[in-house]
Amino acid sequence: MYLRAAATISPPVSFEQILTADSSAQSIRLACAEPDYTKLIDPKMIRRMSRIVKMGVAAALQCLDEAGDKMPDAIIAGTAYGCLGDTEVFLQKMVENDEQLLTPTAFIQSTHNTVAAQIALLLKCHNYNNTFVQGGFSFENAITDALSLLKEGQVKTVLAGGIDEITDTSHAILKRFGLYKRAPFATENIFQTQTKGTIAGEGATFFVMQSGASGNDYAQLKGFDTFYKPVSSKEVEQHISAFLDRQNIKRSDIDLVISGENGDIKNDEVYETIYQSALRGITHMPFKHLCGEYPTASAFALWLAANIIKTGKLPSGLPSNKKPSTVLIYNHYRYTYHSLYFLNAC
Amino acid sequence: MADLKKQIIAQLNLKDLKPEDIGDDQPLFVEGLGLDSIDALELIVLLQQEYKIKLANAEEGQSVFRSVRTMAQYITDHQGKAAE
Amino acid sequence: MSSRIYIAGAGIISAIGNNITENLSALETGRAGMGEMKYLHSAHREKIPVAEVKMDNTALAALSGLPAHYTRTALLSAIAAKEALTNAAIPGFAKLRSGFISANTVGGMDKTENFFSDFLSNPAKGKLRNVVHHECGAATEIVAGILGVKHHIATISTACSSSANAIFYGARLISQGMLDVVIAGGTDALTKFTLNGFNTLMILDNRYCQPFDENRRGLNLGEGAGYIVMVSEKIAQTLPSIPICTLNGYCNANDAYHQTASSPDGTGSYLAMKGALDKSGVKADEIDYINLHGTGTQNNDIAEGTAIKLLFERRYPPMSSTKSFTGHTLGASGGVEAVYSVLSIQYGLIYPNLRFETQMKELPFVPETVFKKGADIRNVLSNSFGFGGNCSSLLFSKV
């Protein structure tokens, strides 16, 4: 399966910015660099869209534009939190007005399928349309669904993406759960602090996926797997080794590993273990200092990997004697949801 | 009617419009401003919130919201007998 | 070995019963589940009838084996999913590659909305345990744990078509050899959020709903959960007897007309039903019963009815909306109605469309009003059409 196009609205402004390592933001909360949406989306539809819907729709449209695809055969979104902004607006009004004088717009835009539905509406696309909402597997299920449809053979192109946002309210609540670092750090240092907590992130990332090569693809997605609630790091190692065996890949075949360390000392333990065992000796880089931690962050990792393969360029600080043509992504979310992606240049 | 236009713009998030851009008799729905059924529901809440007028059902909105003038007329007619 | 998907078991909890037996009894005797709000505390309590599951959270907790402070969405899901898996009685289940594909629209909102009142007054207030399961996927995680499923879990949220989509996603994972058995369906609990949301759309009936009736006024909200257990042919052969019902066809299409309203000509509905027929190879005149989406709103019923008129041309099969019994269970509706469809095939049932009085002037057919048992039901079509233009249809067939 091939990644024909990839687009993201994320904290880094662009892939070029990431290459020049100009990303030392001091914040425990990273916010997306947002475009001028009026240039991308019909103004009549923008007026109802909350921030996350604009992010998702814009990333999707940019992606379709790059692929030269006006009508994908399927539109699949993955989002763990859904449309928080409108949910909060409606909830707040409901509480303050004691369930009186409420208005419909916030309610209808709060449903989790709004992003995928608005894309379909804009394109007048009657094809398959789905939205997954399974925490750290939301994006992975979108990919599984896409692969399943492509395998069935009745669709040729699938638009699939992962989207999640932070709002002031959600950030305040997640902070109370102790998820984040207490004090700001320069983000590329979050992995050296040996402390608890990560940094909050958000993003909207979409891909156009096809079963056949177009000759102008970012990369080939050769392998993809997920596993759930492993009981030990030994089990994680076994899953990764088994995955590599199934793909017929040796460690020496992998040019780069992109992994999901998020700066939280407990969260990152398993990565340390893996780099001493199943993935030892391979050049590796984290990605969450760029996009922050959120349930669908693996979509950003996939975008990053796809761009690295397409351009053959690596962020500075990594050994660049060889043009990377194979990339493995390993990420977990809250040690519950684990995913592996293997990409090849094509 | 100028006030009513300002309220409509605010309620429907028509950020790029100014009251002068909406004609008194301009059709609000389908053509003209191109509003839809969700906007109609928003306007029903607007009437209740700002003018304490309650429409009996959504269908009544079709005639009441034809234009800003018909809305203003409806408000004038019903404000005396405003519902709670 | 064929890639047939067999239905090995089913489980349900709704306003008309806490399990299959109770639901069937109510469907047979015409006992609807609507009434005055009893368990949800809303300002609209006396004005809006709803179809609640007739148990408070403490009782649901006891039945589900979960703590009573958990979200009602998870409690309902656990009860129905457990019944389905128990019914299926799959030998060696623990060793199989199993999946739990659930669906819901509200997640833990029943708890969040209470948290929010405290939080709004002071961001340091509100019990965190009331928001820890806010996400839609949390209820699925909880129930997957009870069922002992680890290979694949997913939650779909596409408004009213959610659990229908969950079912056929699960079916594809089996037919493509990724999983051996899948428990799929959905759940949703009544919340003030959804009640008020639907109220702003002015599509709620303040009396008991009358789907597909000329004088229909809107829908009644309901709650519940419904799951089916699907297995591959290989696993079906290990069961005491091969199940007689299969998931034969399915389709997901988008209306792409409006965020909440259906297109007047029912494009999305038509495409979904036609797609399910095409997928299965079953012809329109071989459908023996349609379980309508039939919410009772002006808009849905005319759109769905128009699509049926176009698709079935002269031969209109018996059809009814069981939402006249259960109310609209939102994210659970596809699952609840899949269970009713499977039971229809198993026992030859046709359910009545309660409170039907007057034929819709645009449609040349009327829904069934009498319960039938022992009919020759070979193919059942179940429709789930939702906000966001998300339209899905499932086709169940007797082997």
Side-chain angles (χ1 to χ4, degrees):
Chain A
M1 199 267 296
Y2 296 83
L3 298 178
R4 176 75 186 82
T8 188
I9 290 176
S10 289
V13 169
S14 62
F15 181 62
E16 287 65 40
Q17 184 199 53
I18 295 170
L19 290 177
T20 56
D22 184 29
S23 60
S24 62
Q26 285 233 6
S27 177
I28 58 166
R29 177 177 164 179
L30 300 183
C32 285
E34 297 180 70
D36 178 359
Y37 292 113
T38 58
K39 294 202 162 65
L40 297 161
I41 308 171
D42 176 3
K44 279 210 289 290
M45 290 193 69
I46 283 191
R47 67 184 172 96
R48 276 197 191 131
M49 291 184 183
S50 61
R51 189 172 167 260
I52 191 177
V53 177
K54 285 189 279 211
M55 277 162 52
V57 170
L61 292 179
Q62 284 174 330
C63 190
L64 287 171
D65 196 44
E66 185 179 37
D69 189 353
K70 284 198 168 55
M71 194 65 76
D73 297 320
I75 297 171
I76 310 173
T79 175
Y81 299 135
C83 304
L84 288 173
D86 278 319
T87 303
E88 286 163 29
V89 165
F90 194 78
L91 257 181
Q92 184 157 341
K93 266 244 171 85
M94 195 179 87
V95 169
E96 286 172 353
N97 294 2
D98 200 30
E99 301 179 61
Q100 305 301 327
L101 293 178
L102 299 171
T103 57
T105 303
F107 173 69
I108 62 172
Q109 298 288 88
S110 74
T111 60
H112 289 70
N113 62 330
T114 299
V115 174
Q118 291 279 290
I119 297 169
L121 203 52
L122 274 165
L123 301 176
K124 295 253 173 296
C125 180
H126 293 299
N127 301 327
Y128 185 95
N129 193 293
N130 209 356
T131 299
F132 288 93
V133 295
Q134 188 62 52
F137 271 171
S138 304
F139 177 63
E140 280 68 18
N141 270 298
I143 297 291
T144 305
D145 197 10
L147 288 173
S148 143
L149 289 175
L150 289 167
K151 200 169 166 187
E152 247 192 353
Q154 275 158 356
V155 311
K156 292 220 165 47
T157 63
V158 180
L159 175 71
I163 320 135
D164 270 307
E165 64 168 339
I166 321 167
T167 60
D168 290 342
T169 302
S170 70
H171 187 71
I173 295 173
L174 291 171
K175 222 162 124 177
R176 279 174 59 182
F177 275 106
L179 288 188
Y180 305 124
K181 295 228 178 281
R182 288 180 183 280
F185 293 87
T187 54
E188 70 267 23
N189 286 337
I190 61 170
F191 309 114
Q192 275 107 42
T193 63
Q194 300 290 310
T195 57
K196 286 203 295 205
T198 178
I199 58 176
E202 57 175 14
T205 309
F206 271 91
F207 303 89
V208 169
M209 301 168 37
Q210 292 175 342
S211 41
S214 72
N216 199 9
D217 303 309
Y218 274 71
Q220 183 186 15
L221 181 63
K222 275 211 91 173
F224 164 66
D225 197 18
T226 60
F227 52 99
Y228 176 68
K229 289 193 174 167
V231 297
S232 62
S233 51
K234 190 110 193 91
E235 192 185 327
V236 174
E237 286 177 56
Q238 282 165 354
H239 276 287
I240 295 180
S241 300
F243 175 77
L244 297 179
D245 285 341
R246 281 197 305 276
Q247 308 304 323
N248 250 328
I249 312 166
K250 295 191 289 292
R251 273 180 296 120
S252 53
D253 297 328
I254 306 171
D255 295 328
L256 173 72
V257 177
I258 295 178
S259 48
E261 291 94 321
N262 70 11
D264 174 276
I265 185 172
K266 192 119 180 57
N267 181 86
D268 293 352
E269 266 171 15
V270 69
Y271 297 105
E272 280 187 42
T273 314
I274 294 306
Y275 285 130
Q276 283 157 26
S277 56
L279 300 179
R280 67 185 179 281
I282 313 175
T283 304
H284 56 98
M285 64 171 283
F287 67 94
K288 288 180 184 169
H289 61 295
L290 299 168
C291 65
E293 173 71 290
Y294 59 99
T296 44
S298 49
F300 178 84
L302 190 62
W303 171 87
L304 183 63
N307 274 278
I308 286 173
I309 290 191
K310 183 175 189 186
T311 60
K313 298 198 178 127
L314 282 170
S316 67
L318 291 172
S320 53
N321 47 345
K322 187 184 170 204
K323 199 171 148 173
S325 64
T326 57
V327 177
L328 174 73
I329 302 171
Y330 166 56
N331 179 52
H332 74 80
Y333 182 71
R334 309 270 217 108
Y335 206 71
T336 297
Y337 300 104
H338 298 246
S339 50
L340 291 158
Y341 298 81
F342 183 66
L343 292 121
N344 237 355
C346 51
Chain B
M1 277 197 278
D3 279 344
L4 182 57
K5 288 180 188 176
K6 278 202 203 119
Q7 287 167 337
I8 292 173
I9 287 172
Q11 187 82 358
L12 303 185
N13 205 25
L14 296 162
K15 277 198 280 251
D16 300 320
L17 287 185
K18 294 190 279 299
E20 310 82 85
D21 297 327
I22 310 177
D24 295 352
D25 297 292
Q26 184 185 8
L28 294 175
F29 286 82
V30 185
E31 14 147 32
L33 223 49
L35 304 180
D36 68 8
S37 54
I38 301 295
D39 296 309
L41 294 168
E42 293 279 351
L43 292 179
I44 289 177
V45 178
L46 174 69
L47 280 190
Q48 208 168 337
Q49 204 164 307
E50 303 294 335
Y51 301 97
K52 306 280 183 288
I53 297 170
K54 203 165 179 181
L55 249 55
N57 53 50
E59 284 71 43
E60 228 193 309
Q62 285 194 7
S63 46
V64 175
F65 302 137
R66 190 155 295 142
S67 67
V68 178
R69 194 186 298 280
T70 57
M71 267 184 86
Q73 188 62 52
Y74 189 86
I75 293 169
T76 316
D77 290 344
H78 287 79
Q79 209 153 19
K81 344 166 191 139
E84 277 300 288
Chain C
M1 186 78 62
S2 78
S3 60
R4 268 206 196 125
I5 304 294
Y6 289 85
I7 315 301
I12 187 171
I13 179 166
S14 73
I16 61 172
N18 301 332
N19 50 53
I20 288 184
T21 306
E22 290 179 16
N23 272 263
L24 280 177
S25 161
L27 289 163
E28 182 159 5
T29 55
R31 191 172 21 98
M34 290 83 176
E36 187 177 294
M37 228 178 278
K38 185 172 171 194
Y39 303 97
L40 184 68
H41 302 294
S42 158
H44 302 291
R45 164 170 281 196
E46 279 156 30
K47 285 176 265 155
I48 302 177
V50 289
E52 288 175 301
V53 168
K54 308 290 180 274
M55 289 205 282
D56 65 15
N57 284 11
T58 310
L60 289 176
L63 202 53
S64 64
L66 289 172
H69 69 268
Y70 272 26
T71 160
R72 194 172 170 88
T73 306
L75 302 177
L76 294 171
S77 174
I79 293 167
K82 271 171 43 169
E83 181 184 19
L85 195 55
T86 306
N87 271 359
I90 299 172
F93 173 78
K95 294 208 179 63
L96 298 174
R97 297 170 306 166
S98 56
F100 181 49
I101 319 285
S102 186
N104 65 68
T105 62
V106 300
M109 183 59 84
D110 59 323
K111 298 288 173 195
T112 309
E113 57 196 16
N114 294 334
F115 168 89
F116 222 69
S117 347
D118 295 329
F119 178 81
L120 274 183
S121 62
N122 179 344
K125 277 207 166 134
K127 288 205 180 91
L128 283 185
R129 78 174 189 180
N130 281 339
V131 284
V132 71
H133 296 142
H134 170 78
E135 287 176 53
C136 292
T140 308
E141 258 197 63
I142 292 167
V143 178
I146 294 187
L147 300 174
V149 169
K150 259 190 71 168
H151 273 89
H152 197 94
I153 74 166
T155 311
I156 288 178
S157 195
T158 53
C160 320
S161 64
S162 300
S163 38
N165 284 335
I167 287 171
F168 88 85
Y169 174 61
R172 275 183 285 131
L173 297 180
I174 294 177
S175 65
Q176 288 176 5
M178 272 183 65
L179 297 170
D180 305 310
V181 53
V182 171
I183 304 117
T187 173
D188 253 337
L190 206 53
T191 65
K192 285 187 290 198
F193 189 89
T194 30
L195 185 72
N196 280 284
F198 275 77
N199 200 27
T200 64
L201 294 171
M202 296 180 82
I203 51 176
L204 293 179
D205 193 346
N206 57 7
R207 289 155 53 184
Y208 295 3
C209 66
Q210 294 184 257
F212 272 67
D213 190 289
E214 172 66 16
N215 302 310
R216 61 200 185 282
R217 295 163 302 275
L219 61 92
N220 298 138
L221 282 175
E223 61 177 359
Y227 291 92
I228 58 173
V229 179
M230 295 178 287
V231 298
S232 61
E233 173 125 20
K234 183 161 167 226
I235 304 300
Q237 287 173 350
T238 67
L239 300 173
S241 52
I242 299 224
I244 61 166
C245 183
T246 61
L247 178 64
N248 196 2
Y250 41 75
C251 182
N252 167 323
N254 198 288
D255 203 29
Y257 173 77
H258 183 269
Q259 185 65 17
T260 49
S262 308
S263 59
D265 57 5
T267 304
S269 320
Y270 176 85
L271 290 172
M273 288 191 282
K274 179 161 192 310
L277 287 171
D278 290 346
K279 174 83 186 153
S280 65
V282 170
K283 294 199 276 297
D285 59 13
E286 291 173 308
I287 297 290
D288 299 305
Y289 168 61
I290 304 178
N291 185 295
L292 300 165
H293 183 60
T295 55
T297 62
Q298 281 294 319
N299 184 240
N300 174 79
D301 293 0
I302 185 64
E304 185 176 9
T306 304
I308 289 173
K309 188 167 123 186
L310 187 60
L311 188 58
F312 290 88
E313 291 179 306
R314 291 165 302 275
R315 201 226 159 217
Y316 304 112
M319 64 186 85
S320 65
S321 168
T322 47
K323 291 184 174 72
S324 56
F325 282 90
T326 60
H328 189 357
T329 56
L330 301 179
S333 59
V336 161
E337 290 155 28
V339 172
Y340 291 155
S341 300
V342 168
L343 294 172
S344 164
I345 289 192
Q346 205 167 343
Y347 301 114
L349 306 175
I350 291 186
Y351 310 108
N353 194 107
L354 296 179
R355 297 177 299 281
F356 175 78
E357 288 166 354
T358 316
Q359 181 167 353
M360 280 168 67
K361 57 183 188 296
E362 303 93 339
L363 302 178
F365 50 79
V366 293
E368 294 295 306
T369 51
V370 175
F371 178 87
K372 290 196 182 74
K373 202 156 52 170
D376 184 21
I377 306 289
R378 308 204 64 86
N379 297 296
V380 174
L381 190 62
S382 176
N383 291 339
S384 298
F385 307 140
F387 286 173
N390 283 117
C391 298
S392 293
S393 292
L394 299 175
L395 203 157
F396 295 93
S397 299
K398 197 172 203 171
V399 180

